[in-house]
Amino acid sequence: MSEPAYTVASDSETTGEEKTSSAFPEIAIGIDIGTAQCSVAVWNGSQVELLKNTRNQKMMRSYVNFKDDVPLGGVSNQLSHEHEMLSGAAIFNMKRLIGRADTDPVVHASKSLPFLVQTLDIGVRPFIGALVNNVWRSTTPEEVLAIYLLELRAMAEVALKRPIRNVVLTIPVSFNRFQVTRIERACAMAGLHVLRLMPEPTAVALLYAQQQQQTIHDNMGSGSEKIALIFNMGAGYCDVAVTATAGGVSQIKALAGSPIGGEDMLQNMMRHLLPDSEILFSNHGISEIKSMGLLRVATQDAIHKLTSQTSVQIDVDLGNGSKICKVVDQEEFQEVNKKVFEKCESLIIQCLRDAKGEPEDVTDIIAVGGCSYIPKIRNLLMSICKKQELYKGMNPLEAAVCGAALEGAVASGVNDPFGNLDLLTIQVTPLAIGIQAVGNNFVPIIPRNTTMPARKELVFTTVHDNQTGALIVVYEGEEKKVEGNHLLGYFKIIGIPPAPRGVPEINVCMDIDASNVLRVLAGVVLPGSQHHGIPVMEVRMPTVDDGHGWCAEALHRTYGSSLDLDTVQKKI
Amino acid sequence: MSVYVVSVGQISVPIASQVHGHLDTRKPMSRWRQRCIVIRCHYNKRPGGRASAEKKNYYELLGVSVDSNAQKIKEAYRKLQKKYHPDIAGQKGHEYTLMLNEAYKVLMRDDLRREYDASIGQMRGPYGTNYSSLGYSSWKGPLRPQALFVDENACIGCRECVHHASNTFQMDEALGCARVKVQYGDDDQKIEVSVDSCPVNCIHWVDTEELAALEFLIQPQPKEGYGVFGGGWERPANVFMAAKSFTKQLNQQAGTQRNARANTEEETPAQAEARANAVMKIKMERFSRLWKWMTHIFGSNKLNRE
């Protein structure tokens, strides 16, 4: 696939120039692309308004149907029946697949979906295909997302009667920078310019900040600081954030996230109801796809019902002679998804610990996303924070998109005479960024939960005498060894003056600006030397455009440890 | 030091008050966006070493006093962020916000703040010499070892000093005497002339440490009255002696309190505090107004430590 020439930096520059000439700034719209459903919202001059499609829906299913010549997304397409989405011709859950290699467990978990997800387990992107007239037609998650975004854009342009260009998108906390570039690519393909990518719970936090601000205005009270725990769990991802809010400023203290969600619960339940379901569905025959669709719909229904009733009767004929008749109650559901709930709990605890806050300090617990309706999740949140109730002032399904729309208005420079946009989110980095040094160890330079914009630097040195070059290999993640982290890019420092090992100082500086652009700078410093003839390297990351770590292996094969780096012991 | 690129510290970053002028929020964002940001690496800083001299004082940056508690720092930080965060001010706010973040991180963490205070030579301990917030006069330029003080008991209100150095001295029209408004508000020559011009030699050079106590004590205090007798205002006849004994008392107080704290480790913090308070109150009965002042400093310092 030939990639369109596209850089965000030059685009944002032209946008800026346009703005100078125009009296009315273009207000960026907020888009929440969910694993299961999407929504679009915009600041209409006095408040946030959710846009509706031609069928008067605010929430649109996230899928693209390749059945006809022109692929149709969930915005304009009308499903005649739920099963149509599960016929194999429609691709959904693209948010779980985007930017992931075929060794990723999340990709493997997607193999039981009705469309084709083929993996070769070597670390390349998986093959994804939609079944059209008995042919698996290939596509990519980016393409699917771009088609979908194009429909959203068209819908918004009709609703707002103006061209749309700038968007604020919400993304899961656990997305790495490579996945972020995939989202940006999809947006570029749809002709959209990403103004900001907000982790979903921080969008919710911004909405919360606005609500608190309004309450203060109404009560004429003093704006004391409020700590909120935000838990967002949708179909694909689970995110947690702790935010301190005062005077319209939402200061994110900590973020935590993981790719677990309703989809995992659904698959666990399907496996529970039909133990050999994975083997049955893995070969993707027409009849298997049909019976899987039936099972999926029935299970999904049951899970939805279990949020309000204690037990549910599942009665489904899979069509191939097997029938499932079973009563499932709350406890059984919780037992089947024990691991999912345990993960949620550990994320919440980790996030509170990272925020250096006690559970008692939390003023409000905000639970949003589809899974926030599950009683077990609600109880979990209340018991961890020792609270009797959850925050009630938000629609769990609309909170993220409303926050994104607010950020869109703030970042577009819109002013509200009533102070409703007197808001600010102070973001933190969700994952640590560092370089490879001391063998294959990961040395973080910007740790997780560092306030953005951020700039940190660290001094490294050579490992060999008269070493004249060094490789800077940048990774993102939380693991101690580089293999466990995500490769972002690499470059070589040359012209290190010959000196005994440990003498030259190589300064590596990382800079993240408010729109989350990462730049890595590296330069050589020779102690005592007055020369500064060696230019500094400045590299915008990520530079790798495939999601695999092959390049790192190739680098290691070619250079061994000859270009390695060591950390410098801190002088007192 | 070898500088490869312009260091962070050397970029002239306006302090809060100066920025207000040319950093009109929101509107100029578009202009700034045109230019891609230039990132400068800070290359002349040795690891571990705090290059304090070239850096902007974090307290000045946030516009807070050195004894501010966490709450004050937080508020100031948020207020400034709302002005200069790149979301609002555009890309130009990047560098400034980076410094705000750094300052905030250091001042919010107790260990880092102590280290930083030590590096800039600022004492923030409960019995430190930093009374600057309590004195009357403000400082132009850096803190110097000597300061000007007008003994208002002796001043005859001739206005000579105000005439010669109007940026340093001012008249208190109600009391009819001169007072130092801004330390070193004029150049050295003008100040010298004004000191010499005083016909009663009531303008004194004093140690900076003593200044706050002197300025505090020279202010007339309400005198306790009995019925229709007494009342009115008074101040020590010899303010220098009074300041000396006051400082001594303060140091004793500090010692006692420290001892009290050491002795009462077994007690709950509330009990310990109550006891320390009681001891102090007895001692301070004589200076009833000072008592309020003391609780003010001790109180704020206690908050700092928490």
Side-chain angles (χ1 to χ4, degrees):
Chain A
M1 192 180 79
S2 72
E3 312 241 312
Y6 173 80
T7 51
V8 182
S10 59
D11 277 354
S12 75
E13 278 159 37
T14 49
T15 323
E17 272 159 2
E18 282 160 15
K19 246 178 238 158
T20 348
S21 55
S22 139
F24 302 100
E26 188 205 319
I27 302 177
I29 59 169
I31 301 180
D32 177 27
I33 341 162
T35 311
Q37 47 189 6
C38 290
S39 49
V40 182
V42 69
W43 176 259
N44 67 5
S46 58
Q47 63 186 45
V48 171
E49 183 190 335
L50 263 77
L51 302 182
K52 289 176 182 164
N53 67 5
T54 46
R55 278 167 289 124
N56 218 19
Q57 291 173 313
K58 287 197 279 189
M59 293 287 161
M60 290 146 281
R61 298 291 296 270
S62 309
Y63 70 92
V64 170
N65 200 338
F66 287 85
K67 189 180 66 182
D68 305 312
D69 291 342
V70 182
L72 280 177
V75 182
S76 54
N77 190 30
Q78 171 78 59
L79 285 176
S80 57
H81 192 264
E82 182 77 22
H83 295 293
E84 201 185 320
M85 196 173 135
L86 302 167
S87 63
I91 307 274
F92 54 93
N93 276 10
M94 49 262 196
K95 199 165 135 193
R96 292 257 281 190
L97 291 165
I98 197 160
R100 288 189 193 275
D102 62 1
T103 44
D104 197 312
V106 178
V107 173
H108 281 261
S110 305
K111 283 166 86 172
S112 63
L113 297 176
F115 56 90
L116 188 67
V117 179
Q118 201 177 64
T119 60
L120 294 167
D121 298 306
I122 54 164
V124 292
R125 69 167 64 182
F127 178 87
I128 289 164
L131 188 62
V132 185
N133 302 328
N134 216 15
V135 173
W136 289 113
R137 196 188 132 178
S138 93
T139 182
T140 60
E142 290 92 324
E143 188 184 40
V144 176
L145 194 60
I147 294 167
Y148 194 81
L149 282 167
L150 207 57
E151 285 196 354
L152 284 179
R153 181 184 167 192
M155 176 197 111
E157 285 179 343
V158 169
L160 299 172
K161 298 179 186 66
R162 64 172 169 93
I164 301 289
R165 182 158 164 72
N166 290 342
V167 290
V168 172
L169 280 160
T170 59
I171 50 165
V173 169
S174 60
F175 258 28
N176 62 40
R177 279 173 186 272
F178 177 71
Q179 288 173 300
V180 167
T181 63
R182 297 300 94 185
I183 295 277
E184 279 169 350
R185 168 68 40 79
C187 286
M189 286 158 92
L192 294 168
H193 169 237
V194 179
L195 199 61
R196 289 280 187 278
L197 284 168
M198 292 184 99
E200 277 152 28
T202 70
V204 179
L206 190 63
L207 180 64
Y208 177 71
Q210 194 213 25
Q211 291 182 346
Q212 294 310 307
Q213 186 85 322
Q214 278 175 343
T215 328
I216 291 159
H217 279 306
D218 296 346
N219 300 343
M220 303 298 277
S222 67
S224 61
E225 183 184 80
K226 289 200 170 159
I227 311 277
L229 176 87
I230 296 160
F231 181 88
N232 171 41
M233 193 171 181
Y237 292 88
C238 173
D239 306 310
V240 191
V242 173
T243 175
T245 303
V249 179
S250 156
Q251 201 179 342
I252 308 296
K253 296 284 187 187
L255 290 173
S258 172
I260 50 160
E263 178 66 32
D264 295 285
M265 295 191 205
L266 180 63
Q267 287 185 10
N268 288 344
M269 278 305 277
M270 281 165 71
R271 212 171 301 132
H272 177 67
L273 293 171
L274 190 67
D276 55 350
S277 60
E278 259 162 295
I279 310 150
L280 184 66
F281 298 147
S282 58
N283 56 355
H284 280 84
I286 307 277
S287 63
E288 279 92 354
I289 290 172
K290 190 155 181 270
S291 47
M292 177 174 27
L294 289 166
L295 179 61
R296 206 180 152 88
V297 172
T299 317
Q300 205 163 337
D301 237 34
I303 293 176
H304 286 178
K305 280 183 184 148
L306 277 176
T307 58
S308 54
Q309 54 202 65
T310 48
S311 67
V312 67
Q313 165 82 33
I314 298 171
D315 219 339
V316 59
D317 184 356
L318 296 182
N320 54 356
S322 58
K323 249 183 164 181
I324 295 172
C325 270
K326 202 169 166 25
V327 176
V328 179
D329 63 1
Q330 280 284 352
E331 274 169 34
E332 202 173 341
F333 172 71
Q334 286 168 19
E335 187 55 37
V336 167
N337 291 301
K338 204 164 163 244
K339 285 218 172 84
V340 175
F341 294 126
E342 277 169 4
K343 182 71 192 168
C344 292
E345 190 174 357
S346 76
L347 282 175
I348 298 165
I349 291 168
Q350 180 203 327
C351 195
L352 279 168
R353 198 177 49 223
D354 284 353
K356 296 183 186 66
E358 294 300 318
E360 292 82 15
D361 299 341
V362 173
T363 325
D364 285 310
I365 311 169
I366 305 169
V368 293
C371 290
S372 67
Y373 291 109
I374 295 171
K376 171 76 183 166
I377 297 274
R378 301 172 78 85
N379 294 337
L380 199 64
L381 281 162
M382 287 189 278
S383 72
I384 291 174
C385 297
K386 302 183 182 68
K387 279 245 176 333
Q388 299 304 313
E389 56 174 14
L390 302 176
Y391 185 71
K392 292 202 186 74
M394 275 183 207
N395 179 337
L397 300 177
E398 296 174 1
V401 74
C402 290
L406 285 174
E407 175 76 10
V410 171
S412 306
V414 181
N415 244 320
D416 180 61
F418 303 105
N420 286 332
L421 284 180
D422 196 12
L423 303 171
L424 177 66
T425 317
I426 302 174
Q427 298 276 6
V428 296
T429 52
L431 292 165
I433 303 161
I435 67 167
Q436 175 181 356
V438 210
N440 59 353
N441 285 305
F442 173 69
V443 179
I445 294 179
I446 298 186
R448 182 177 75 209
N449 293 327
T450 302
T451 312
M452 292 205 287
R455 178 182 299 151
K456 292 270 153 76
E457 55 181 6
L458 214 57
V459 177
F460 294 86
T461 191
T462 52
V463 292
H464 303 289
D465 291 340
N466 299 325
Q467 182 180 338
T468 55
L471 269 179
I472 310 281
V473 190
V474 182
Y475 284 90
E476 180 177 55
E478 294 300 321
E479 299 292 322
K480 292 245 181 328
K481 297 282 176 197
V482 288
E483 290 86 358
N485 292 325
H486 204 277
L487 177 72
L488 292 183
Y490 42 84
F491 58 92
K492 191 178 162 189
I493 298 270
I494 46 163
I496 303 172
R501 66 173 173 178
V503 173
E505 287 187 0
I506 296 138
N507 197 323
V508 181
C509 175
M510 292 191 174
D511 180 287
I512 302 175
D513 71 8
S515 46
N516 202 16
V517 174
L518 169 69
R519 286 178 167 84
V520 180
L521 294 95
V524 188
V525 185
L526 203 63
S529 146
Q530 290 299 314
H531 303 289
H532 38 89
I534 313 155
V536 171
M537 301 278 291
E538 180 187 319
V539 182
R540 206 183 129 124
M541 295 277 169
T543 55
V544 286
D545 30 310
D546 295 303
H548 56 69
W550 284 8
C551 317
E553 286 166 31
L555 284 171
H556 185 73
R557 228 177 9 251
T558 314
Y559 298 102
S561 68
S562 64
L563 296 175
D564 267 10
L565 283 173
D566 203 349
T567 48
V568 172
Q569 293 298 314
K570 283 214 165 180
K571 291 167 203 156
I572 299 144
Chain B
M1 271 188 274
S2 55
V3 181
Y4 282 77
V5 272
V6 188
S7 82
V8 174
Q10 284 162 346
I11 302 164
S12 72
V13 176
I15 61 166
S17 58
Q18 289 169 330
V19 186
H20 289 271
H22 59 87
L23 226 163
D24 187 17
T25 56
R26 292 176 195 263
K27 212 184 141 199
M29 170 186 177
S30 46
R31 206 170 53 238
W32 295 330
R33 287 233 151 187
Q34 292 169 21
R35 249 186 295 157
C36 207
I37 56 155
V38 184
I39 299 168
R40 298 161 177 99
C41 232
H42 192 194
Y43 271 83
N44 51 352
K45 201 179 84 181
R46 290 283 162 268
R50 221 168 250 292
S52 58
E54 65 190 41
K55 271 194 182 167
K56 197 93 225 154
N57 185 323
Y58 289 158
Y59 294 103
E60 280 175 34
L61 186 76
L62 288 171
V64 295
S65 64
V66 282
D67 57 353
S68 318
N69 58 24
Q71 189 58 39
K72 280 229 178 72
I73 293 170
K74 222 184 256 180
E75 275 168 20
Y77 170 74
R78 289 197 179 126
K79 224 166 116 194
L80 288 169
Q81 278 278 24
K82 250 184 153 170
K83 276 205 174 93
Y84 305 119
H85 192 278
D87 274 6
I88 289 162
Q91 200 62 64
K92 188 154 185 181
H94 183 66
E95 293 288 336
Y96 191 81
T97 313
L98 280 173
M99 281 192 298
L100 277 182
N101 286 343
E102 176 68 19
Y104 180 74
K105 193 188 100 191
V106 169
L107 297 189
M108 286 304 281
R109 272 185 53 185
D110 235 13
D111 48 338
L112 292 180
R113 184 171 175 182
R114 258 198 300 278
E115 199 182 303
Y116 175 73
D117 284 350
S119 79
I120 59 165
Q122 195 57 254
M123 289 279 290
R124 197 169 49 88
Y127 324 112
T129 51
N130 174 40
Y131 300 158
S132 55
S133 58
L134 299 152
Y136 177 82
S137 59
S138 61
W139 284 78
K140 188 187 172 193
L143 219 62
R144 302 194 210 182
Q146 295 276 304
L148 279 169
F149 172 69
V150 178
D151 184 357
E152 291 171 32
N153 280 330
C155 181
I156 53 167
C158 68
R159 292 172 192 265
E160 277 292 326
C161 51
V162 183
H163 175 72
H164 289 292
S166 55
N167 293 325
T168 307
F169 299 95
Q170 71 170 35
M171 276 306 280
D172 186 337
E173 301 295 348
L175 295 171
C177 51
R179 187 174 291 169
V180 179
K181 173 173 66 177
V182 183
Q183 298 287 350
Y184 300 96
D186 296 277
D187 58 42
D188 290 359
Q189 202 195 342
K190 272 190 185 165
I191 289 171
E192 213 171 299
V193 169
S194 63
V195 172
D196 288 341
S197 70
C198 182
V200 289
N201 290 331
C202 70
I203 305 170
H204 302 269
W205 285 104
V206 297
D207 287 342
T208 304
E209 286 97 77
E210 287 173 15
L211 182 70
L214 285 167
E215 283 187 341
F216 178 75
L217 289 169
I218 201 70
Q219 291 164 40
Q221 328 276 318
K223 205 161 75 178
E224 218 168 310
Y226 306 96
V228 292
F229 300 103
W233 301 77
E234 66 171 359
R235 58 183 166 209
N238 186 338
V239 70
F240 295 99
M241 286 306 290
K244 270 213 180 75
S245 58
F246 173 66
T247 316
K248 207 167 137 194
Q249 193 123 24
L250 211 61
N251 288 339
Q252 267 177 6
Q253 190 59 51
T256 329
Q257 207 190 25
R258 209 173 302 155
N259 289 342
R261 285 222 175 135
N263 292 340
T264 54
E265 263 174 4
E266 256 78 87
E267 295 174 355
T268 66
Q271 281 173 324
E273 203 191 350
R275 213 168 79 147
N277 282 350
V279 172
M280 263 170 74
K281 200 151 191 172
I282 295 161
K283 287 217 159 198
M284 296 306 289
E285 209 84 281
R286 218 152 48 90
F287 292 101
S288 57
R289 199 170 66 93
L290 291 185
W291 161 243
K292 275 185 210 148
W293 182 57
M294 294 289 292
T295 46
H296 170 70
I297 6 176
F298 285 127
S300 65
N301 277 317
K302 200 156 62 55
L303 274 175
N304 283 340
R305 272 197 309 278
E306 275 162 13

